[in-house]
Amino acid sequence: MRRKTKMIHGGITGDKETGAVSVPIYQVSTYEQAEAGKHSGFEYSRTGNPTRNALEKVIAELEEGIAGFAFGSGMAAISSVMMLLKAGDHVVFTDDVYGGSYRLMTKVLKQFGLAYSFVDTSDPELVEGAIKENTKALFIETPTNPLLKITDIAKMKEIAEQHHILFIVDNTFATPYYQLPLALGADIVVHSATKYLGGHSDVVAGLVVVNSNELAERLHFIQNSVGAILGPQDSWLLLRGIKTLALRMEAIEMNAAYLVSFLKDHPHVKKVFYPGLPTHPGYEIAKQQTAGFGGMISFDLGTASAAASLLERVKYFTLAESLGAVESLISVPAKMTHASIPRVRRQELGITDGLVRISVGIEDKEDLLEDLANGLQ
Ligand SMILES: *Cc1c(COP(=O)(O)O)cnc(C)c1O
C-alpha cells in the first residue's frame, strides 16, 4: 500500500458486523466475558477499546512501526514514554524542544531523579559530547518549534546505537506523510496528534509508535498502568482526521511555499525560518530525510511591538497557540507557547521577542498573502 492509500485503507476500517464504513465509536468501559477470565480481546477500556485500537493500528502502519498507542494528549504520550526510564538515568534533548516537554523534564521528571542535558542536536558533535555514562535516551524534535531547526535522524541513530540508548523522535511537525523516523533508525516516535494528525483544532491527543515487540509490551504495560489513555470519541475524531492528512499536508505546504517567497523579500522581515529555503542551514538534510518541508514558518520582525502590530491587523490568521489545523494560526512564541522557558534561555535559543510563528492552513493562498502584506505595512 502506498502512503495515501494507507491513510484510507490502513489499520482497521469499518465494522464487519454491520458493514458500516466508518469504525464505530465504542462508548463502553467494560465487555462481557464468556467465562471468568475468558474474553474476546477486550476486557476493560483502559486496557483496550476497539475505536482506540483502530487508531493505534493505523498510526503504527503509517509510521511503519510494530505497535501504536493513543494517549489523552501529546504530553501524556511523552510522559508515558519517559516512564520507560528510571531514577538515575540521563536524557539528551534537542535544545529548542516543545516548551511543554522542557517543562515536563525540568519541573516534573527531575523530581523523580531523571537527569537531562539540552543541546543543539543539529550538531552531532554536541550530541556526542553530551552523552554520559548514565545516558539512556536521546529525544529529538525535527523540525523544531519555533525555529525549524533540522536534526539528521540517521546520524542520531548512529550515535544512539553506538551508546545503546533509546532514540525517540517527536514527529509532530513533519507528520508520517513527510517523515518516517522509525525507517531512519529511531526506536520510538511520539506525536501531539492535536496538531496535523487531528488537523481541525477539535481534539487534544497524543500517539506513540514503537519499533520492537519488547518496547510494545513495555509501553502497553505503562499505558495500562498509568492510564493516560485517549477516549473513544477522540480516537474516532483522529481516525477521521488521518484520512485527509495527505490532502491537507499537500495543500498546506503549497500555501507555505507561496508565503515564504513573499516573506523572505519583505523589507520589515529581518529573517525567515523555513527548512524549504535553500539558505536554511538544515535544508540539505531536510531534503534528504523528508518528503516535504511542512507548513510552519517563523519570521523575526525585530521587536515585540512590531510583532504585536502584525497580530492586531491580520484577520485570517487566528491568534492562538497550537498548529497544524485547516485554519491558519499565528502566535508569538516568547509570549505564548514558549513563555514557560525563562527569557534568558529563550534569548540564547534565538526565540526573540519579535519572532512570529505561523501555522499555514488550507485557505486561498492569495487571501493569506494579502492578509500578511496588510499586517506588515
Ligand atoms: C503540542 C506539542 C506537544 C504537546 O502536545 P499536546 O497534545 O499539546 O499535549 C509536543 N510536541 C510538540 C512538537 C508539540 O507541538
Side-chain angles (χ1 to χ4, degrees):
M1 246 191 281
R2 294 176 178 80
R3 284 180 308 162
K4 285 185 190 171
T5 309
K6 241 188 227 176
M7 282 166 204
I8 310 299
H9 297 282
I12 294 167
T13 52
D15 177 42
K16 287 218 174 68
E17 199 144 312
T18 61
V21 295
S22 152
V23 174
I25 300 171
Y26 284 88
Q27 196 70 54
V28 62
S29 62
T30 193
Y31 306 80
E32 185 181 11
Q33 306 196 357
E35 284 170 36
K38 208 167 172 192
H39 57 79
S40 53
F42 296 97
E43 49 189 319
Y44 186 63
S45 279
R46 170 162 33 73
T47 318
N49 170 284
T51 315
R52 194 179 92 217
N53 190 39
L55 169 65
E56 291 174 332
K57 286 259 176 347
V58 74
I59 191 62
E61 281 185 26
L62 290 178
E63 288 286 0
E64 299 186 359
I66 294 281
F69 300 91
F71 296 90
S73 69
M75 289 322 302
I78 294 169
S79 304
S80 299
V81 164
M82 297 309 279
M83 285 177 198
L84 291 164
L85 302 169
K86 59 181 190 319
D89 290 351
H90 172 259
V91 189
V92 176
F93 283 90
T94 296
D95 57 1
D96 60 345
V97 76
Y98 177 70
S101 304
Y102 180 84
R103 181 174 55 197
L104 171 74
M105 189 62 239
T106 58
K107 297 269 166 42
V108 181
L109 297 176
K110 186 184 165 201
Q111 317 252 54
F112 290 83
L114 283 186
Y116 50 83
S117 302
F118 288 90
V119 300
D120 181 352
T121 52
S122 66
D123 182 346
E125 270 179 41
L126 291 179
V127 176
E128 188 70 58
I131 306 250
K132 304 176 181 188
E133 218 160 86
N134 59 338
T135 304
K136 290 289 154 58
L138 169 62
F139 186 111
I140 70 159
E141 228 173 84
T142 182
T144 61
N145 176 20
L147 294 174
L148 291 317
K149 278 202 284 195
I150 302 294
T151 292
D152 187 332
I153 299 175
K155 267 262 162 52
M156 294 301 111
K157 181 223 164 32
E158 279 173 30
I159 297 175
E161 194 167 52
Q162 195 185 334
H163 297 276
H164 307 289
I165 61 180
L166 208 54
F167 177 26
I168 306 157
V169 179
D170 184 331
N171 204 28
T172 300
F173 270 42
T175 82
Y177 187 57
Y178 283 148
Q179 179 168 279
L180 295 170
L182 298 182
L184 294 167
D187 299 305
I188 301 178
V189 162
V190 299
H191 275 284
S192 169
T194 312
K195 315 295 168 55
Y196 289 107
L197 294 174
H200 296 75
S201 302
D202 54 12
V203 60
V204 172
L207 294 170
V208 178
V209 181
V210 299
N211 76 342
S212 74
N213 286 317
E214 191 229 332
L215 280 173
E217 250 171 60
R218 288 176 64 200
L219 200 64
H220 184 252
F221 183 81
I222 290 170
Q223 185 190 37
N224 188 37
S225 302
V226 176
I229 50 153
L230 191 66
Q233 184 97 31
D234 287 349
S235 295
W236 186 87
L237 280 169
L238 277 192
L239 281 170
R240 183 162 78 162
I242 285 171
K243 288 183 182 161
T244 57
L245 179 66
L247 295 181
R248 286 185 285 110
M249 291 316 287
E250 285 174 6
I252 283 170
E253 201 193 27
M254 261 164 46
N255 282 356
Y258 186 72
L259 296 181
V260 162
S261 63
F262 162 74
L263 287 168
K264 77 177 168 43
D265 296 326
H266 196 284
H268 295 166
V269 177
K270 307 270 181 284
K271 192 168 177 190
V272 177
F273 301 86
Y274 186 67
L277 275 175
T279 50
H280 187 287
Y283 174 72
E284 288 301 330
I285 296 166
K287 224 170 55 173
Q288 263 173 35
Q289 71 186 15
T290 66
F293 300 113
M296 299 301 299
I297 308 167
S298 290
F299 49 98
D300 200 340
L301 294 180
T303 62
S305 64
S309 101
L310 171 64
L311 300 187
E312 241 169 63
R313 287 158 165 231
V314 287
K315 57 177 195 234
Y316 296 131
F317 287 86
T318 305
L319 175 60
E321 292 198 1
S322 197
L323 59 106
V326 288
E327 59 274 335
S328 293
L329 302 175
I330 192 164
S331 69
V332 175
K335 283 200 177 145
M336 301 165 68
T337 47
H338 290 63
S340 57
I341 296 175
R343 186 162 189 273
V344 190
R345 175 97 190 111
R346 282 202 309 266
Q347 299 287 332
E348 278 168 19
L349 295 172
I351 305 170
T352 56
D353 296 343
L355 189 76
V356 174
R357 186 190 82 176
I358 56 176
S359 167
V360 180
I362 63 170
E363 300 93 337
D364 280 308
K365 60 183 193 280
E366 295 83 359
D367 282 334
L368 296 179
L369 188 141
E370 282 166 20
D371 204 21
L372 286 180
N374 192 40
L376 286 168
Q377 254 173 32

